[in-house]
Amino acid sequence: MSRIMGIGQAAEAIGGAVEGVSEVFLPNATRAMELDSAIHRATLETAAAEFQYGGSSGFDRVINGLNRLPRPLLALGTLGLFIFAMVDPAAFAARMTGLEAVPEPLWWLLGAIVSFYFGARELHHYRYATVPRRAGLAPRRRAVPQAPASDPVSTNPAISAWRADGGHSPRSDFEASPRSQ
């Protein structure tokens, strides 16, 4: 019985050595997942530490209120411009003439600021969106079209023409032709 146990220990040692060598060429997937999880956990802990002292003081409430103002002000301001144009067209035209004096780089800067503000806000909502899932069903995935297993290049016209030509490479035809001296 001890001989059988000795063979088992030798086989286990050989298996461990093979595993160590194989990890040189292909990383251990389980260990990689463990490391990714540890990095993710550390990142979340760092983010949580940043916000642990955040409170709901008067200053925080004022800043949160100011952060909510740009969208309604832009929407209501645009509607206000339409109303202003209908109520007093001459004054509206004078204001628009003043806007024509604004240099173009300043308009580009305003566009970039508004785009980044709304883009960041949209990205935030996209990242933290909750998707309702149907109970008991896996999420739907798009089907990825696969190449035919028998001949994956049959739909390539260049390869089809090459095969119809007998499969000769242009290089071999060039070398077979007579050379000028």
Side-chain angles (χ1 to χ4, degrees):
M1 194 65 163
S2 64
R3 275 190 168 163
I4 294 173
M5 295 300 282
I7 293 172
Q9 290 173 349
E12 186 176 327
I14 292 172
V18 168
E19 180 183 356
V21 170
S22 69
E23 286 182 3
V24 169
F25 300 105
L26 183 67
N28 186 336
T30 305
R31 182 66 181 144
M33 288 173 30
E34 289 171 352
L35 292 173
D36 285 344
S37 175
I39 289 170
H40 184 69
R41 189 177 322 111
T43 304
L44 288 176
E45 288 171 0
T46 302
E50 276 185 46
F51 297 104
Q52 76 182 15
Y53 297 113
S56 58
S57 67
F59 178 77
D60 290 331
R61 287 194 298 270
V62 168
I63 295 300
N64 285 337
L66 287 175
N67 281 336
R68 291 186 179 101
L69 284 178
R71 277 178 15 131
L73 286 178
L74 283 170
L76 294 174
T78 303
L79 290 175
L81 283 174
F82 279 100
I83 294 169
F84 181 55
M86 289 186 284
V87 171
D88 192 359
F92 179 78
R95 301 304 185 284
M96 293 301 114
T97 304
L99 283 177
E100 285 180 4
V102 175
E104 188 173 348
L106 197 56
W107 285 115
W108 282 100
L109 181 62
L110 177 66
I113 290 169
V114 170
S115 298
F116 280 121
Y117 174 77
F118 288 114
R121 186 176 187 280
E122 190 64 29
L123 183 61
H124 170 78
H125 288 294
Y126 177 76
R127 282 182 180 167
Y128 298 105
T130 56
V131 179
R133 302 215 177 188
R134 296 178 298 181
L137 295 176
R140 291 183 184 177
R141 296 177 188 221
R142 285 189 299 139
V144 177
Q146 298 293 319
S150 60
D151 189 7
V153 294
S154 64
T155 58
N156 187 327
I159 294 179
S160 299
W162 178 73
R163 285 182 177 166
D165 191 31
H168 299 295
S169 72
R171 188 77 161 143
S172 62
D173 292 343
F174 175 73
E175 291 173 354
S177 65
R179 294 182 182 165
S180 61
Q181 300 271 339

